[in-house]
Every structure is written in structure tokens, then in C-alpha cells.
Amino acid sequence: MSDRVSYVYAVVREADGLGEAVAGLSGAAGAPVRLLPLTGGDGLSLAVSSVPSEDFREEALKRHLEDLRWLEAVARAHHGVIEELSALTTVLPLRLATVYLDDERAANALDAQSEVLARRLSHLAAHVEWGVKIYVEQPAAPAPQPSQPAGSEDLSPGRAYLRTRRAQRTVRDTAHRSARTAAERIEETGRRYAADRARHRVQQGELATAPGENVLNDAYLVPRDRAEEFRDEVSRAADGLDGVRVELTGPWAPYSFATPPDPADDPAGSGTSDPEDPPDPAGQSGGAADPDSTGTGDAAGSAAPSSQPAGTERGTEP
């Protein structure tokens, strides 16, 4: 058995200077990145590294899911390769830790879908991804009321508590109404500027690292030449609204819009997985890995979190 397996970062289209840029690029496990041409035509290649099988075969990947430092290092390396490539050409990012037993299996699996991949690359050309989150701020705890002398007309402690809870609910309801207004403003901006929208699951539990309650977690595919206008309008979506915050990140390579090959159609087998929430494209495992892993065929590995969000509801093009 070979001590190396093929880690595939993305499908790319040929471009001037791409070969030279890849020649000096390192990826997962510090392995050099290289281009593996697809024979299906249209100038498509895979960005690939040969990585140690002891870390990237299926059982090893399952163990590494418990090692957030390892996951973060791989996610950062994966994202670094994608960002370098996207500066030179249109990139179709694949899921984090998409691993094949060897180059031949990788090329065969993706060659079979070269026409679909070429169409997807054409759709993504000259576009970038922006992430948009809306948070409802937690209401501040009310100041404690001073003690009242016995026999006063003020509320009893129990009734005072209920009144405080009602006031907190009122504040929360107001914030949620504000969040709906902000979401409507963002959707209207998306209709004017974006080519596509992906809806992700809101961040909860361990993924909810930012303050407040995440009530919207979307991504927009925006033409590069309209990106600044989109950013400026979305950044003002919470103006005049109480208790709500809009967080805008990007521009990123179009992770949320890179529909990867279906492993069921992969005769060689590939290693992929679906997280409940997409990673932050910066590759930080805190927001990058909530894996819901799946294994397939004779894949080299199948248990890593993904750069392609699962459960995405695709919006229609405006």
C-alpha cells in the first residue's frame, strides 16, 4: 500500500501564470501543490497534493476529528491554496479533505463530470462570495430595584420578577422584529446585486462563538465589479434598528456555490463529509468544523469536515 494519497483542493481553469504560482505553493501537511490535468477538455485541472496516508485515510481522519488543532491546520492550508488559486483563475473549491487513493482515481472520478464542472466554473467566473450573518443581541439584565419599606404600594418580589420578565420579552421581541427588517433589507440588496444565494443553518452550540443569537447565516455570490456596492449596502442593513447586529465577511472564493461531485456517481470513491455549518473561509475550526461525516466506496478518507456546506437551500437568481 502506498504511503501517500491524493488530496484534491479544487478544480481550476487554465490561466496565465497559474503553473508558476502553483509550483511554489504548499498545502495540507506542508505538501507541494501541483496541477493534474483532466482529459475531458476545456482546460480544466485539479489542484492536488500527495499527503501521508497515515493521516488522511479514512480511519485516521476519523481520529483526527477529535483533534481541533489538526483540523484547523488542515483547514487553513486548504483555504490558503484556494485563495492563492482564486487570485489567478476561477476556482471550484472541493470539500475539505477530499482524498483519493491516487492521482488516477482522482482524475477518473472528476473527468467523468468535466462538462458539469466546466459549466459550474463558467457560472462562478468573475464572482466572489460574501457571508452575511444577523445576530439578535442579548437584552441587558435590568438594574436591581431598591428595597421598599413594608406596607408600601410597590409590587411584591414575585410580581416584580414577572414584570421584569415581561420587559425582557418585550425587548427580545423588538430585537427579533428588527432582525426581520434587517433580513428584508439584505434580501432586497441581494436581488439587486447578487447572482445567487445560499442559506446555511444558523450557528448554535459550540459553533456560536460570537455574542448574541445567530438568526440568519447566508452567503451571496456577487460579481466582482459590484462587490463594493453590495458590501456597503449590507453593512447599513441594521441602521436605525435596536438590538440587532449584521456581520459581513468576505470576499471569499465561492465555497458555498461550488457544487461538488456526487460520491454516488464516483466509480473510484472519494472522501468527503458534510458539516452542519460551513466553515468560516478563514479556516478557523471553531466555525469550521461541525462534521456530519459520510464514507464512500474505496475512498482513501471520508471523515473530515467540509469546505462545502451541507443542507444548503439554494436561492434563485434574481
Side-chain angles (χ1 to χ4, degrees), residues 87-227:
L88 296 171
T89 187
T90 305
V91 175
L92 191 70
L94 297 187
R95 300 168 188 252
L96 188 67
T98 296
V99 181
Y100 294 82
L101 291 174
D102 52 40
D103 284 2
E104 182 179 3
R105 284 180 169 85
N108 287 343
L110 294 167
D111 248 330
Q113 302 183 59
S114 59
E115 291 185 7
V116 174
L117 297 174
R119 287 198 300 270
R120 198 68 199 153
L121 280 165
S122 296
H123 178 64
L124 299 178
H127 287 71
V128 293
E129 175 174 330
W130 287 92
V132 182
K133 295 184 176 71
I134 295 179
Y135 292 91
V136 170
E137 305 284 11
Q138 298 295 337
Q145 298 297 317
S147 300
Q148 300 294 331
S152 71
E153 295 181 358
D154 287 292
L155 297 176
S156 67
R159 295 185 67 184
Y161 169 78
L162 292 175
R163 184 174 66 178
T164 298
R165 291 297 302 272
R166 283 195 296 270
Q168 289 176 329
R169 283 197 296 270
T170 298
V171 171
R172 179 179 174 82
D173 290 346
T174 298
H176 276 273
R177 285 194 296 271
S178 295
R180 285 193 291 271
T181 299
E184 290 168 358
R185 293 175 180 177
I186 291 168
E187 288 179 7
E188 176 58 31
T189 300
R191 282 191 287 271
R192 290 199 303 273
Y193 294 108
D196 208 346
R197 178 179 71 173
R199 293 178 176 177
H200 305 314
R201 298 175 187 177
V202 296
Q203 293 184 327
Q204 298 174 327
E206 293 182 358
L207 292 179
T209 56
E213 177 189 0
N214 182 211
V215 296
L216 180 140
N217 183 13
D218 286 357
Y220 285 87
L221 184 68
V222 182
R224 285 186 185 274
D225 59 3
R226 308 207 73 185

Side-chain angles (χ1 to χ4, degrees), residues 239-251:
D239 287 0
L241 301 175
D242 294 329
V244 65
R245 184 178 83 257
V246 173
E247 180 182 282
L248 181 67
T249 59

Side-chain angles (χ1 to χ4, degrees), residues 236-280:
R236 296 194 297 269
D239 287 0
L241 301 175
D242 294 329
V244 65
R245 184 178 83 257
V246 173
E247 180 182 282
L248 181 67
T249 59
W252 310 114
Y255 290 91
S256 298
F257 305 93
T259 304
D262 184 353
D265 298 328
D266 176 0
S270 64
T272 62
S273 68
D274 296 336
E276 289 188 1
D277 189 81
D280 187 286

